[in-house]
Amino acid sequence: MRLGWAILAGILLGGGVAWWTSRDTPADIERKQARAAAARAADAEDARPVLYRWRDAQGRLQVTDQPPKGRRYERVDREPRPGIEVHGDRE
């Protein structure tokens, strides 16, 4: 009977040690939260509808919904950021 208790105690002790060594520390949790927040921000920025402004070989300004291949371009938001007022009646 004592052997049974010793085996049970060893299993419980081993499980406790395995849990303790595999858990996240507060620093790990903080790093994971920061990484998740950065990923959410990047996803939100990529999800915004954008246009691409660039110049063709003749120097004419082009605005397209697909970026040009092999040319420098600038991303332009289709929608203003929150807090920016847009008045279409003003010039």
Side-chain angles (χ1 to χ4, degrees), residues 48-49 76-87:
R48 293 179 62 88
V76 180
D77 285 334
R78 286 188 186 177
E79 298 172 7
R81 296 192 183 277
I84 296 176
E85 290 186 26
V86 176
H87 300 280

Side-chain angles (χ1 to χ4, degrees), residues 10-75:
I11 291 172
L12 291 176
L13 182 64
V17 168
W19 170 80
W20 184 261
T21 58
S22 67
R23 68 180 177 78
D24 288 340
T25 64
D28 291 338
I29 293 170
E30 199 171 296
R31 276 194 302 272
K32 285 181 182 180
Q33 289 174 343
R35 221 172 32 236
R40 280 192 303 274
D43 286 346
E45 185 65 27
D46 288 343
R48 293 179 62 88
V50 296
L51 293 173
Y52 300 92
R53 182 172 35 202
W54 51 282
R55 297 214 176 256
D56 63 13
Q58 289 77 31
R60 291 183 296 230
L61 180 64
Q62 302 288 328
V63 179
T64 59
D65 60 350
Q66 297 293 321
K69 290 186 169 69
R71 294 199 176 274
R72 292 182 54 193
Y73 60 87
E74 178 184 354
R75 287 175 57 124

